[in-house]
Coordinates of all heavy atoms in Angstrom, one line a residue:
M1 N -66.0 -32.9 51.3 CA -65.9 -33.6 50.0 C -66.7 -32.8 48.9 O -67.9 -32.4 49.2 CB -66.4 -35.0 50.1 CG -66.4 -35.7 48.8 SD -67.0 -37.4 48.9 CE -65.6 -38.2 49.6
R2 N -66.2 -32.6 47.8 CA -66.9 -31.9 46.7 C -67.4 -33.0 45.7 O -66.8 -34.0 45.5 CB -66.0 -31.0 45.9 CG -65.4 -30.0 46.8 CD -65.9 -28.6 46.7 NE -66.9 -28.3 45.7 CZ -68.0 -27.7 46.0 NH1 -68.2 -27.3 47.2 NH2 -68.9 -27.4 45.1
Y3 N -68.6 -32.7 45.1 CA -69.2 -33.6 44.1 C -69.2 -32.8 42.8 O -70.3 -32.4 42.3 CB -70.6 -34.0 44.5 CG -70.6 -34.8 45.8 CD1 -70.9 -34.2 47.0 CD2 -70.2 -36.1 45.8 CE1 -70.9 -35.0 48.2 CE2 -70.1 -36.9 46.9 CZ -70.5 -36.3 48.1 OH -70.5 -37.0 49.3
D4 N -68.0 -32.7 42.2 CA -68.0 -31.9 40.9 C -68.2 -32.7 39.7 O -68.5 -32.2 38.6 CB -66.6 -31.2 40.8 CG -66.4 -30.1 41.9 OD1 -67.4 -29.6 42.4 OD2 -65.3 -29.8 42.3
A5 N -68.0 -34.0 39.8 CA -68.1 -34.8 38.6 C -69.6 -35.2 38.3 O -70.4 -35.2 39.2 CB -67.3 -36.1 38.8
I6 N -69.9 -35.4 37.1 CA -71.2 -35.8 36.7 C -71.5 -37.3 37.2 O -70.7 -38.2 36.8 CB -71.5 -35.7 35.2 CG1 -71.4 -34.2 34.8 CG2 -72.8 -36.3 34.8 CD1 -71.4 -34.0 33.3
N7 N -72.5 -37.5 37.9 CA -72.9 -38.9 38.3 C -73.7 -39.5 37.1 O -74.9 -39.2 36.9 CB -73.8 -38.8 39.6 CG -74.1 -40.2 40.1 OD1 -74.3 -41.1 39.4 ND2 -74.2 -40.2 41.4
H8 N -73.1 -40.3 36.4 CA -73.7 -40.9 35.2 C -74.8 -41.8 35.4 O -75.7 -41.9 34.6 CB -72.6 -41.5 34.3 CG -71.7 -40.5 33.7 ND1 -72.0 -39.8 32.6 CD2 -70.4 -40.1 34.1 CE1 -71.0 -38.9 32.3 NE2 -70.0 -39.1 33.2
L9 N -74.8 -42.4 36.6 CA -76.0 -43.3 37.0 C -77.2 -42.4 37.2 O -78.3 -42.8 36.8 CB -75.7 -44.1 38.2 CG -74.6 -45.2 38.0 CD1 -74.3 -45.9 39.4 CD2 -75.1 -46.3 37.1
V10 N -77.1 -41.3 37.8 CA -78.2 -40.4 38.0 C -78.6 -39.8 36.7 O -79.8 -39.7 36.4 CB -77.8 -39.3 39.0 CG1 -78.9 -38.2 39.1 CG2 -77.6 -39.9 40.4
L11 N -77.7 -39.4 35.9 CA -78.0 -38.8 34.6 C -78.8 -39.8 33.7 O -79.8 -39.5 33.1 CB -76.7 -38.4 33.9 CG -76.8 -37.7 32.6 CD1 -77.5 -36.3 32.8 CD2 -75.5 -37.5 32.0
A12 N -78.4 -41.1 33.8 CA -79.1 -42.1 33.0 C -80.5 -42.4 33.5 O -81.3 -43.0 32.8 CB -78.2 -43.4 33.0
S13 N -80.7 -42.1 34.8 CA -82.0 -42.4 35.4 C -83.1 -41.4 35.0 O -84.3 -41.6 35.3 CB -81.9 -42.5 36.9 OG -81.7 -41.2 37.5
V14 N -82.7 -40.2 34.4 CA -83.7 -39.2 34.0 C -84.5 -39.8 32.9 O -83.9 -40.2 31.8 CB -83.0 -37.9 33.7 CG1 -84.0 -36.9 33.2 CG2 -82.2 -37.4 34.9
P15 N -85.8 -39.8 33.0 CA -86.6 -40.4 31.9 C -86.4 -39.6 30.6 O -86.3 -38.4 30.6 CB -88.1 -40.1 32.4 CG -88.0 -40.0 33.9 CD -86.6 -39.4 34.1
P16 N -86.3 -40.3 29.5 CA -86.1 -39.7 28.2 C -87.1 -38.6 27.8 O -86.7 -37.6 27.1 CB -86.2 -40.8 27.2 CG -85.9 -42.1 28.0 CD -86.4 -41.8 29.4
R17 N -88.3 -38.7 28.3 CA -89.3 -37.7 28.0 C -89.3 -36.5 28.9 O -90.1 -35.5 28.6 CB -90.7 -38.3 28.0 CG -90.9 -39.3 26.9 CD -92.3 -39.9 26.9 NE -92.5 -40.8 25.7 CZ -93.6 -41.3 25.4 NH1 -94.7 -41.1 26.1 NH2 -93.6 -42.2 24.4
A18 N -88.5 -36.5 29.9 CA -88.4 -35.4 30.8 C -87.9 -34.1 30.1 O -86.9 -34.2 29.5 CB -87.6 -35.7 32.0
R19 N -88.6 -33.0 30.2 CA -88.2 -31.8 29.6 C -88.0 -30.7 30.6 O -87.3 -29.7 30.4 CB -89.3 -31.3 28.6 CG -89.4 -32.2 27.4 CD -88.1 -32.1 26.5 NE -88.0 -33.2 25.6 CZ -87.1 -34.1 25.6 NH1 -86.2 -34.2 26.6 NH2 -87.0 -35.1 24.7
T20 N -88.6 -30.9 31.8 CA -88.3 -29.9 32.9 C -87.8 -30.7 34.1 O -88.4 -31.7 34.5 CB -89.6 -29.2 33.3 OG1 -90.6 -30.1 33.6 CG2 -90.1 -28.3 32.1
V21 N -86.7 -30.2 34.6 CA -86.0 -31.0 35.7 C -85.7 -30.0 36.8 O -85.2 -28.9 36.6 CB -84.7 -31.6 35.2 CG1 -83.9 -32.3 36.3 CG2 -85.0 -32.6 34.0
L22 N -86.0 -30.5 38.1 CA -85.6 -29.8 39.3 C -84.4 -30.6 39.9 O -84.6 -31.8 40.2 CB -86.8 -29.7 40.3 CG -86.5 -29.1 41.6 CD1 -86.0 -27.7 41.5 CD2 -87.7 -29.2 42.5
D23 N -83.3 -29.9 40.0 CA -82.1 -30.6 40.6 C -81.9 -30.0 42.0 O -81.3 -29.0 42.2 CB -80.9 -30.3 39.7 CG -79.7 -31.0 40.1 OD1 -79.7 -31.8 41.1 OD2 -78.6 -30.9 39.4
L24 N -82.3 -30.8 43.0 CA -82.2 -30.4 44.4 C -80.7 -30.8 44.8 O -80.3 -31.9 44.6 CB -83.2 -31.2 45.3 CG -84.6 -30.9 45.0 CD1 -85.5 -31.7 45.8 CD2 -84.9 -29.4 45.1
G25 N -80.1 -29.8 45.4 CA -78.7 -30.0 45.7 C -77.8 -30.0 44.5 O -76.9 -30.8 44.3
C26 N -78.1 -29.0 43.6 CA -77.4 -29.0 42.3 C -75.9 -28.7 42.3 O -75.3 -28.9 41.3 CB -78.1 -27.9 41.4 SG -77.9 -26.2 41.9
G27 N -75.4 -28.3 43.4 CA -74.0 -27.9 43.5 C -73.6 -26.9 42.5 O -74.3 -25.8 42.4
R28 N -72.7 -27.2 41.7 CA -72.2 -26.2 40.6 C -72.9 -26.4 39.3 O -72.5 -25.8 38.3 CB -70.7 -26.4 40.5 CG -70.0 -26.0 41.8 CD -68.5 -26.2 41.6 NE -67.8 -25.8 42.9 CZ -66.5 -25.7 43.0 NH1 -65.7 -25.9 42.0 NH2 -66.1 -25.3 44.2
G29 N -73.9 -27.3 39.2 CA -74.7 -27.4 38.0 C -74.2 -28.3 37.0 O -74.8 -28.3 35.9
E30 N -73.3 -29.2 37.3 CA -72.8 -30.1 36.3 C -73.8 -31.0 35.6 O -73.9 -31.1 34.4 CB -71.6 -31.0 36.8 CG -70.4 -30.2 37.2 CD -70.4 -29.7 38.6 OE1 -71.5 -29.8 39.3 OE2 -69.4 -29.1 39.0
I31 N -74.6 -31.7 36.5 CA -75.6 -32.6 35.9 C -76.7 -31.9 35.2 O -77.1 -32.3 34.1 CB -76.1 -33.6 37.0 CG1 -76.6 -34.9 36.3 CG2 -77.2 -33.0 37.8 CD1 -76.7 -36.0 37.3
G32 N -77.1 -30.8 35.7 CA -78.1 -30.0 35.0 C -77.6 -29.4 33.7 O -78.3 -29.4 32.7
G33 N -76.4 -29.0 33.6 CA -75.7 -28.6 32.4 C -75.7 -29.7 31.4 O -75.9 -29.5 30.2
A34 N -75.4 -30.9 31.8 CA -75.3 -32.0 30.9 C -76.7 -32.3 30.3 O -76.8 -32.6 29.2 CB -74.8 -33.3 31.6
L35 N -77.7 -32.2 31.2 CA -79.1 -32.4 30.7 C -79.5 -31.4 29.7 O -80.2 -31.7 28.7 CB -80.1 -32.5 31.8 CG -80.0 -33.7 32.7 CD1 -80.8 -33.5 34.0 CD2 -80.6 -34.9 31.9
R36 N -79.1 -30.1 29.9 CA -79.5 -29.0 29.0 C -78.8 -29.3 27.6 O -79.4 -29.1 26.6 CB -79.0 -27.7 29.5 CG -80.0 -27.1 30.6 CD -79.5 -25.8 31.0 NE -79.8 -24.8 29.9 CZ -79.1 -23.7 29.8 NH1 -78.2 -23.3 30.6 NH2 -79.4 -22.9 28.8
S37 N -77.5 -29.6 27.7 CA -76.8 -29.7 26.4 C -77.1 -31.0 25.7 O -77.2 -31.0 24.4 CB -75.3 -29.6 26.7 OG -74.8 -30.7 27.4
S38 N -77.3 -32.1 26.3 CA -77.5 -33.4 25.6 C -79.0 -33.7 25.3 O -79.3 -34.3 24.3 CB -77.0 -34.6 26.5 OG -77.7 -34.7 27.7
R39 N -79.9 -33.1 26.1 CA -81.3 -33.4 25.9 C -82.2 -32.2 25.7 O -83.4 -32.3 25.5 CB -81.9 -34.2 27.1 CG -81.2 -35.5 27.3 CD -82.0 -36.3 28.3 NE -81.2 -37.5 28.8 CZ -81.7 -38.3 29.6 NH1 -82.9 -38.2 30.1 NH2 -81.0 -39.4 30.0
G40 N -81.7 -31.0 25.9 CA -82.4 -29.8 25.7 C -83.4 -29.5 26.9 O -84.4 -28.8 26.7
C41 N -83.2 -30.1 28.0 CA -84.0 -29.9 29.2 C -83.9 -28.5 29.7 O -82.9 -27.9 29.7 CB -83.7 -30.9 30.3 SG -84.0 -32.6 29.9
S42 N -85.0 -28.1 30.3 CA -85.0 -26.8 31.1 C -84.7 -27.3 32.5 O -85.4 -28.1 33.1 CB -86.4 -26.2 31.0 OG -86.4 -25.1 31.9
V43 N -83.7 -26.7 33.2 CA -83.3 -27.2 34.5 C -83.3 -26.0 35.5 O -82.7 -25.0 35.2 CB -81.9 -27.8 34.4 CG1 -81.4 -28.3 35.8 CG2 -81.8 -28.9 33.4
V44 N -83.9 -26.3 36.6 CA -83.9 -25.4 37.8 C -83.1 -26.1 38.9 O -83.4 -27.3 39.2 CB -85.3 -25.0 38.3 CG1 -85.2 -24.2 39.6 CG2 -86.0 -24.3 37.2
G45 N -82.1 -25.4 39.4 CA -81.3 -26.0 40.5 C -81.5 -25.3 41.8 O -81.9 -24.1 41.8
V46 N -81.4 -26.1 42.9 CA -81.4 -25.5 44.2 C -80.2 -25.9 45.0 O -79.8 -27.1 45.0 CB -82.7 -26.0 45.0 CG1 -82.7 -25.4 46.4 CG2 -84.0 -25.7 44.2
T47 N -79.5 -25.0 45.6 CA -78.3 -25.2 46.3 C -78.3 -24.3 47.6 O -79.0 -23.3 47.6 CB -77.0 -25.0 45.5 OG1 -75.9 -25.3 46.3 CG2 -76.9 -23.6 45.0
W48 N -77.6 -24.7 48.6 CA -77.6 -23.9 49.8 C -76.4 -22.9 49.8 O -76.3 -22.0 50.5 CB -77.4 -24.8 51.1 CG -76.1 -25.6 51.0 CD1 -76.0 -26.8 50.5 CD2 -74.9 -25.2 51.6 NE1 -74.7 -27.3 50.6 CE2 -73.9 -26.3 51.3 CE3 -74.4 -24.1 52.2 CZ2 -72.6 -26.2 51.7 CZ3 -73.1 -24.0 52.6 CH2 -72.2 -25.1 52.3
S49 N -75.5 -23.1 48.8 CA -74.3 -22.3 48.7 C -74.3 -21.2 47.6 O -74.5 -21.5 46.4 CB -73.1 -23.3 48.4 OG -72.0 -22.5 48.0
E50 N -74.2 -20.0 48.1 CA -74.2 -18.9 47.1 C -73.0 -19.0 46.1 O -73.1 -18.7 45.0 CB -74.2 -17.5 47.8 CG -74.3 -16.4 46.9 CD -75.6 -16.3 46.1 OE1 -76.7 -16.5 46.6 OE2 -75.5 -16.1 44.8
E51 N -71.9 -19.5 46.7 CA -70.7 -19.7 45.8 C -71.0 -20.7 44.7 O -70.6 -20.5 43.5 CB -69.5 -20.2 46.7 CG -68.3 -20.5 45.9 CD -67.2 -21.1 46.8 OE1 -67.0 -20.6 48.0 OE2 -66.6 -22.1 46.4
D52 N -71.6 -21.8 45.1 CA -72.0 -22.8 44.0 C -73.0 -22.3 43.1 O -73.0 -22.5 41.9 CB -72.5 -24.1 44.7 CG -71.3 -25.0 45.2 OD1 -70.2 -24.7 45.0 OD2 -71.7 -26.0 45.9
A53 N -73.9 -21.5 43.6 CA -75.0 -20.9 42.8 C -74.5 -20.1 41.7 O -74.9 -20.1 40.5 CB -76.0 -20.1 43.6
V54 N -73.4 -19.3 42.0 CA -72.8 -18.4 40.9 C -72.3 -19.3 39.8 O -72.5 -18.9 38.6 CB -71.7 -17.6 41.5 CG1 -70.8 -16.9 40.5 CG2 -72.2 -16.6 42.5
L55 N -71.7 -20.4 40.1 CA -71.2 -21.3 39.0 C -72.3 -22.0 38.3 O -72.3 -22.2 37.1 CB -70.2 -22.3 39.6 CG -68.9 -21.6 40.2 CD1 -68.1 -22.6 40.9 CD2 -68.1 -20.9 39.1
A56 N -73.3 -22.5 39.1 CA -74.4 -23.2 38.5 C -75.2 -22.4 37.6 O -75.8 -22.9 36.6 CB -75.3 -23.8 39.6
R57 N -75.3 -21.1 37.8 CA -76.1 -20.2 36.9 C -75.5 -20.2 35.5 O -76.2 -19.8 34.6 CB -76.2 -18.8 37.5 CG -77.1 -18.8 38.7 CD -77.3 -17.4 39.3 NE -78.3 -17.5 40.4 CZ -77.9 -17.2 41.7 NH1 -76.6 -16.9 42.0 NH2 -78.8 -17.3 42.6
R58 N -74.3 -20.6 35.4 CA -73.7 -20.7 34.0 C -74.1 -21.9 33.3 O -73.9 -22.0 32.1 CB -72.2 -20.6 34.1 CG -71.6 -19.4 34.8 CD -70.2 -19.5 34.9 NE -69.6 -18.3 35.7 CZ -68.4 -18.2 36.1 NH1 -67.6 -19.2 35.9 NH2 -68.0 -17.1 36.8
M59 N -74.6 -22.9 34.1 CA -74.9 -24.2 33.5 C -76.4 -24.5 33.3 O -76.7 -25.3 32.4 CB -74.3 -25.3 34.5 CG -72.9 -25.1 34.8 SD -71.8 -25.5 33.5 CE -71.8 -27.3 33.5
V60 N -77.2 -24.0 34.2 CA -78.7 -24.3 34.1 C -79.5 -23.0 33.9 O -79.0 -21.9 33.9 CB -79.1 -25.0 35.4 CG1 -78.3 -26.3 35.6 CG2 -79.0 -24.2 36.7
D61 N -80.8 -23.2 33.8 CA -81.7 -22.1 33.5 C -81.9 -21.1 34.6 O -82.1 -19.9 34.5 CB -83.0 -22.6 32.9 CG -82.8 -23.4 31.7 OD1 -82.5 -22.8 30.6 OD2 -83.0 -24.6 31.7
R62 N -82.0 -21.7 35.8 CA -82.3 -20.9 37.0 C -81.8 -21.6 38.2 O -81.8 -22.8 38.3 CB -83.8 -20.8 37.1 CG -84.3 -20.1 38.3 CD -85.8 -20.0 38.3 NE -86.4 -19.5 39.6 CZ -87.6 -19.5 39.9 NH1 -88.5 -20.0 39.1 NH2 -88.0 -19.1 41.1
V63 N -81.3 -20.8 39.2 CA -80.8 -21.4 40.4 C -81.3 -20.6 41.6 O -81.3 -19.4 41.6 CB -79.2 -21.4 40.5 CG1 -78.7 -21.9 41.8 CG2 -78.6 -22.1 39.3
E64 N -81.8 -21.3 42.6 CA -82.3 -20.7 43.8 C -81.4 -21.2 45.0 O -81.0 -22.3 45.0 CB -83.7 -21.2 44.1 CG -84.7 -20.8 43.1 CD -85.0 -19.3 43.1 OE1 -84.9 -18.7 44.2 OE2 -85.2 -18.7 42.1
V65 N -81.1 -20.3 45.8 CA -80.3 -20.6 47.0 C -81.3 -20.8 48.2 O -82.0 -19.9 48.5 CB -79.3 -19.5 47.4 CG1 -78.5 -19.8 48.7 CG2 -78.3 -19.3 46.2
S66 N -81.3 -22.0 48.7 CA -82.3 -22.3 49.8 C -81.8 -23.5 50.6 O -81.1 -24.4 50.0 CB -83.6 -22.6 49.1 OG -84.6 -23.0 50.1
D67 N -82.2 -23.5 51.8 CA -82.0 -24.7 52.7 C -83.1 -25.7 52.4 O -84.3 -25.3 52.6 CB -81.9 -24.2 54.1 CG -81.7 -25.4 55.1 OD1 -82.0 -26.6 54.8 OD2 -81.1 -25.1 56.2
L68 N -82.8 -26.9 52.0 CA -83.9 -27.8 51.6 C -84.7 -28.2 52.8 O -85.8 -28.7 52.7 CB -83.3 -29.0 50.9 CG -82.6 -28.8 49.6 CD1 -82.0 -30.1 49.1 CD2 -83.6 -28.2 48.6
N69 N -84.1 -28.1 54.0 CA -84.9 -28.4 55.2 C -85.9 -27.4 55.6 O -86.9 -27.8 56.3 CB -83.9 -28.6 56.4 CG -83.0 -29.8 56.2 OD1 -83.4 -30.9 55.9 ND2 -81.7 -29.6 56.3
S70 N -85.7 -26.2 55.2 CA -86.7 -25.1 55.7 C -87.2 -24.3 54.6 O -88.2 -23.5 54.8 CB -86.0 -24.2 56.7 OG -84.8 -23.6 56.1
G71 N -86.7 -24.4 53.4 CA -87.2 -23.5 52.3 C -88.5 -24.0 51.7 O -88.8 -25.2 51.7
D72 N -89.2 -23.1 51.1 CA -90.5 -23.4 50.4 C -90.2 -23.4 48.9 O -89.9 -22.4 48.3 CB -91.5 -22.3 50.7 CG -92.8 -22.5 50.0 OD1 -93.0 -23.6 49.5 OD2 -93.7 -21.6 50.0
L73 N -90.2 -24.6 48.3 CA -89.9 -24.8 46.9 C -91.2 -24.7 46.1 O -91.1 -24.8 44.8 CB -89.2 -26.1 46.7 CG -87.9 -26.2 47.5 CD1 -87.3 -27.6 47.2 CD2 -86.9 -25.1 47.2
T74 N -92.4 -24.6 46.7 CA -93.6 -24.6 45.9 C -93.6 -23.5 44.8 O -94.1 -23.9 43.7 CB -94.8 -24.3 46.9 OG1 -94.7 -25.3 47.9 CG2 -96.1 -24.4 46.2
P75 N -93.1 -22.3 45.0 CA -93.2 -21.3 43.9 C -92.4 -21.7 42.7 O -92.5 -21.1 41.6 CB -92.5 -20.1 44.6 CG -92.8 -20.2 46.0 CD -92.6 -21.7 46.3
L76 N -91.5 -22.7 42.8 CA -90.7 -23.1 41.6 C -91.6 -23.8 40.6 O -91.2 -23.9 39.4 CB -89.6 -24.1 42.0 CG -88.5 -23.5 42.9 CD1 -87.5 -24.5 43.3 CD2 -87.9 -22.2 42.3
G77 N -92.8 -24.3 40.9 CA -93.7 -24.9 40.0 C -93.6 -26.4 39.9 O -93.1 -27.1 40.9
T78 N -94.0 -27.0 38.8 CA -93.9 -28.5 38.7 C -92.9 -28.9 37.6 O -92.5 -28.1 36.8 CB -95.3 -29.0 38.2 OG1 -95.6 -28.4 36.9 CG2 -96.4 -28.7 39.2
F79 N -92.5 -30.1 37.7 CA -91.4 -30.6 36.9 C -91.7 -32.1 36.5 O -92.4 -32.8 37.2 CB -90.0 -30.6 37.7 CG -89.7 -29.2 38.1 CD1 -90.1 -28.6 39.3 CD2 -88.8 -28.4 37.3 CE1 -89.8 -27.3 39.6 CE2 -88.5 -27.2 37.6 CZ -89.0 -26.6 38.8
D80 N -91.1 -32.4 35.3 CA -91.2 -33.8 34.9 C -90.4 -34.8 35.7 O -90.7 -36.0 35.8 CB -90.8 -33.9 33.4 CG -91.6 -33.1 32.5 OD1 -92.8 -32.9 32.7 OD2 -91.1 -32.6 31.5
C81 N -89.3 -34.3 36.2 CA -88.3 -35.1 37.0 C -87.7 -34.3 38.1 O -87.3 -33.1 37.8 CB -87.3 -35.6 36.0 SG -86.0 -36.7 36.8
V82 N -87.5 -34.9 39.2 CA -86.8 -34.2 40.3 C -85.6 -35.1 40.7 O -85.7 -36.3 41.0 CB -87.7 -34.0 41.6 CG1 -86.9 -33.4 42.7 CG2 -88.9 -33.2 41.2
L83 N -84.4 -34.5 40.7 CA -83.2 -35.1 41.1 C -82.8 -34.8 42.5 O -82.8 -33.6 42.9 CB -82.0 -34.7 40.1 CG -82.2 -35.0 38.7 CD1 -81.0 -34.5 37.9 CD2 -82.4 -36.5 38.4
C84 N -82.3 -35.8 43.3 CA -81.8 -35.6 44.6 C -80.6 -36.4 44.8 O -80.5 -37.4 45.5 CB -82.9 -36.0 45.6 SG -84.4 -35.2 45.6
S85 N -79.5 -36.0 44.2 CA -78.3 -36.7 44.2 C -77.3 -36.0 45.2 O -77.1 -34.8 45.2 CB -77.6 -36.7 42.8 OG -76.4 -37.4 42.9
H86 N -76.7 -36.8 46.1 CA -75.8 -36.3 47.1 C -76.5 -35.3 48.0 O -75.9 -34.3 48.4 CB -74.6 -35.7 46.5 CG -73.8 -36.7 45.7 ND1 -73.1 -37.7 46.2 CD2 -73.6 -36.8 44.3 CE1 -72.5 -38.4 45.3 NE2 -72.8 -37.9 44.1
V87 N -77.8 -35.5 48.3 CA -78.5 -34.6 49.2 C -78.7 -35.3 50.5 O -79.1 -36.4 50.6 CB -79.9 -34.2 48.6 CG1 -80.7 -33.3 49.5 CG2 -79.6 -33.4 47.3

């Protein structure tokens, strides 16, 4: 199953003051792209799929390909908000 649509409930849960967002399981970057365009957020996405990462890089500021079970995300820094939708 693909999760290509924007989950509006998750989007609405991002605090209005959040300016930096980490999107774990970003897929193709739809929700991060929506945050960038509507709120001016800086978005870093993490996905396990290189194919999805290619598309997500068009939508968000930075994309890392990593397995969330074993990858070290510490070098990504700190964020105002972390999303974990469909993870």
Side-chain angles (χ1 to χ4, degrees):
M1 176 181 282
R2 302 256 356 131
Y3 297 101
D4 294 336
I6 294 173
N7 184 327
H8 291 281
L9 291 174
V10 172
L11 187 63
S13 73
V14 175
R17 291 186 178 184
R19 291 293 164 246
T20 58
V21 177
L22 175 62
D23 187 359
L24 299 176
C26 70
R28 297 179 179 189
E30 292 88 355
I31 206 162
L35 286 167
R36 280 185 73 203
S37 65
S38 67
R39 298 191 193 181
C41 293
S42 172
V43 180
V44 174
V46 179
T47 183
W48 62 271
S49 166
E50 185 61 49
E51 177 184 316
D52 282 352
V54 169
L55 298 171
R57 286 184 180 112
R58 299 176 187 171
M59 307 287 282
V60 301
D61 299 289
R62 176 178 169 192
V63 178
E64 296 293 325
V65 177
S66 180
D67 182 332
L68 295 177
N69 294 309
S70 60
D72 179 12
L73 303 179
T74 307
L76 296 178
T78 60
F79 298 86
D80 297 329
C81 180
V82 177
L83 301 178
C84 300
S85 178
H86 301 290
V87 175

